[in-house]
Amino acid sequence: MSNTSLFLRTLLINPRMVGAIAPSGPILADLITSEVNPSSGPILELGPGTGVFTEALLARGVRESDLTLVEFSADFAVMLQRRFPDARVLCANAARLGTHIPPEGPLFGCVISGLPLLNMSPKAVVAILDGALSRLREGGALYQFTYGMRCPVPHRLLDRFGFKATLHGWVLRNFPPARVYKIVRRKPLKQSAVGA
């Protein structure tokens, strides 16, 4: 089955999981990976889908063996493992990273996220951000795209949990047009806020 056929089938079966009406385009992939280079590895990619961002990471010189791909859809995960045999592909829920990637494991240089955060509950979004950002090296960032007009993480959640989001850029020649945000941890997470 082709990447496009698999994408369309998954979209029809579970549109909220896919969160898009078409696979991301190469211009968006170029923008979301624009600050990545071979020294950025290892890289964590959340919701790689058909692997458009994965291909862009490889084109920037990141070694395939430096990629950890976390994909919820079993069909996409199988396809990704076939396409990128040297990458570590985990068929897992990104909101439960601690179950699949132990905190004592290697730290990532950055996180590239294709997850449809606007389709998720605030609790899931915070779990994803906290799990991903806590596994970053000093100075690392999470790059998240959205089809929305503003950051997919509400300001109240950014402030409450100590995250900072800045607009990294936008792509009008993507279908639909998309924005990319760079999200970093502004301050250490307070223990009392974690369970909120």
Side-chain angles (χ1 to χ4, degrees):
M1 179 180 297
S2 74
N3 294 351
T4 304
S5 298
L6 179 56
F7 178 90
L8 292 173
R9 188 183 86 183
T10 307
L11 175 64
L12 290 172
I13 293 169
N14 192 347
R16 286 182 61 83
M17 182 180 76
V18 175
I21 56 174
S24 299
I27 298 172
L28 175 57
D30 188 55
L31 174 62
I32 202 168
T33 62
S34 63
E35 293 189 343
V36 178
N37 60 57
S39 66
S40 300
I43 306 293
L44 175 62
E45 186 178 355
L46 304 177
T50 60
V52 174
F53 297 163
T54 313
E55 289 174 342
L57 289 167
L58 295 174
R60 292 196 177 277
V62 175
R63 292 181 312 181
E64 191 172 302
S65 59
D66 277 344
L67 297 175
T68 297
L69 313 176
V70 178
E71 174 57 53
F72 186 76
S73 163
D75 290 337
F76 281 140
V78 168
M79 183 267 302
L80 290 164
Q81 191 65 79
R82 192 170 53 243
R83 288 187 65 205
F84 308 108
D86 292 335
R88 180 182 181 203
V89 178
L90 303 173
C91 185
N93 183 339
R96 298 164 87 201
L97 282 178
T99 306
H100 309 284
I101 303 174
E104 64 274 5
L107 295 177
F108 296 100
C110 75
V111 179
I112 304 294
S113 174
L115 295 173
L117 296 185
L118 291 176
N119 293 350
M120 299 179 180
S121 71
K123 184 177 180 179
V125 170
V126 168
I128 290 165
L129 292 180
D130 185 46
L133 294 175
S134 67
R135 286 163 177 76
L136 283 175
R137 292 193 304 238
E138 186 70 29
L142 180 147
Y143 297 87
Q144 173 70 51
F145 88 94
T146 183
Y147 299 125
M149 296 302 289
R150 59 182 65 94
C151 181
V153 184
H155 287 293
R156 64 181 174 79
L157 290 181
L158 291 169
D159 291 341
R160 182 174 180 190
F161 292 94
F163 302 130
K164 178 183 176 188
T166 55
L167 180 64
H168 182 61
W170 60 89
V171 178
L172 294 176
R173 295 186 307 173
N174 188 73
F175 181 72
R179 296 169 188 260
V180 173
Y181 286 86
K182 181 177 182 177
I183 302 173
V184 297
R185 189 179 293 286
R186 189 173 55 224
K187 59 188 176 189
L189 185 64
K190 296 176 185 171
Q191 289 299 90
S192 61
V194 176

